[in-house]
Amino acid sequence: MAANDRKFIVFIGPPGSGKGTQAQIIRERLGLPQVATGDLFRYNLKNNTELGLLAKQYMDAGELVPNEVTIRMVEERLSREDCAKGAILDGFPRNLKQAVALDKMLAPYGGVTVAPLFEVDDDVVVERISGRRICRQCGAVYHVKFNPPKRDSICDVCGGELYQRDDDRPETVKTRLFVYYKQTAPIIGYYFCRGILEDINAMQPMEDVTRALLDVLAKYGIR
Ligand code: ADP
Ligand code: ADP
Ligand code: ZN
């Protein structure tokens, strides 16, 4: 495959805007892996690695994990075999330094292909995050009201136990939103200037968001 046939999709949006949900829906269909930095940190924490323990302090506070370790982790992840056709980046980059680092990593492959921006109002974010439940085993995302599992607190996909993330408490959510507007929002302009930013109305029902997303991706040859 020619190097620039690789497709790198960067999901931008506040916490709770539905990035992970949509990545899980479209990844198989597109044949691209979901690279979610938050999931990678949680996986490290579960396995008690040094990186996991370091990340936990920042995650619990709702702050960003330092760039150096985050960037190194993504670089390693993108070098794996399953990213040979590209990837869906969910939660990275989260500030301008990370965006510049990503450009460097992807320079041999033609850079970021498209950056869908998940637009939702703050009150919706709060409602979504407060009802979010995650499978401890496979990471599938649910919502007690908007996307409930068939059996209470049990994952439809793997039968694992569902839990609420520590950082999904209301106090931490406030900080995370603040961090999003202050540190992450500047990358919107960064991709807009390149003509690859695509607004997605993420307030719609999940299926409608998926449709809007797939339409946008098709314009970039991703299908
Ligand atoms: P959400 O899906 O709600 O936006 P994530 O699972 O993406 O949350 O991230 C959870 C936490 O992991 C963040 O609040 C932050 O502490 C850390 N994190 C995730 N991605 C990054 C990143 N690219 N840079 C720094 N910290 C990150
Ligand atoms: P992010 O990865 O951006 O932090 P998630 O995908 O984890 O967001 O979604 C946050 C919460 O909102 C989850 O509980 C999820 O089930 C729910 N959710 C996602 N998309 C929608 C939608 N379009 N409508 C209603 N709820 C949604
Ligand atoms: Zn599961």
Side-chain angles (χ1 to χ4, degrees):
M1 162 179 297
N4 52 7
D5 281 347
R6 295 196 193 195
K7 305 293 186 188
F8 292 95
I9 306 166
V10 167
F11 279 0
I12 307 173
S17 56
K19 304 180 298 296
T21 298
Q22 294 301 325
Q24 289 181 357
I25 294 173
I26 66 172
R27 61 189 179 189
E28 270 97 26
R29 179 183 173 131
L30 301 179
L32 295 174
Q34 170 192 14
V35 172
T37 37
D39 289 351
L40 293 173
F41 288 133
R42 280 184 289 275
Y43 179 81
N44 271 278
L45 183 59
K46 197 168 118 186
N47 290 291
N48 272 311
T49 71
E50 212 178 303
L51 173 63
L53 293 173
L54 172 87
K56 181 179 164 47
Q57 301 166 256
Y58 295 93
M59 294 172 87
D60 284 350
E63 306 280 351
L64 297 185
V65 178
N67 283 331
E68 202 201 326
V69 288
T70 305
I71 290 165
R72 206 181 317 128
M73 176 178 77
V74 171
E75 198 160 20
E76 190 279 320
R77 179 67 189 85
L78 290 179
S79 71
R80 287 194 220 157
E81 187 65 33
D82 65 338
C83 296
K85 287 164 69 181
I88 303 167
L89 289 150
D90 162 14
F92 185 92
R94 251 178 160 95
N95 59 30
L96 283 171
K97 278 231 170 81
Q98 293 181 6
V100 172
L102 181 64
D103 276 346
K104 247 195 212 155
M105 284 179 228
L106 300 185
Y109 317 114
V112 173
T113 312
V114 55
L117 173 63
F118 286 59
E119 297 193 294
V120 287
D121 296 342
D122 289 355
D123 52 339
V124 172
V125 158
V126 172
E127 195 186 13
R128 285 189 185 176
I129 292 185
S130 60
R132 170 159 62 188
R133 299 292 182 273
I134 311 280
C135 173
R136 220 178 264 291
Q137 224 157 274
C138 77
V141 184
Y142 297 87
H143 190 283
V144 290
K145 198 158 115 201
F146 305 130
N147 184 25
K150 292 198 180 74
R151 281 186 299 156
D152 216 25
S153 299
I154 309 254
C155 177
D156 294 349
V157 182
C158 77
E161 174 208 4
L162 305 188
Y163 79 106
Q164 180 165 33
R165 274 166 50 179
D166 282 346
D167 60 342
D168 278 353
R169 288 167 315 206
E171 318 85 74
T172 321
V173 171
K174 258 200 183 158
T175 312
R176 285 160 61 204
L177 260 177
F178 183 76
V179 166
Y180 173 76
Y181 288 116
K182 197 155 175 201
Q183 302 192 53
T184 307
I187 71 173
I188 296 171
Y190 187 81
Y191 293 115
F192 175 79
C193 288
R194 301 205 183 159
I196 58 169
L197 187 79
E198 294 283 350
D199 295 340
I200 301 287
N201 173 4
M203 308 252 280
Q204 311 172 82
M206 277 174 3
E207 301 74 23
D208 297 343
V209 177
T210 304
R211 200 167 311 120
L213 194 55
L214 290 173
D215 283 349
V216 154
L217 297 179
K219 290 203 297 179
Y220 292 80
I222 304 169
R223 46 171 66 91

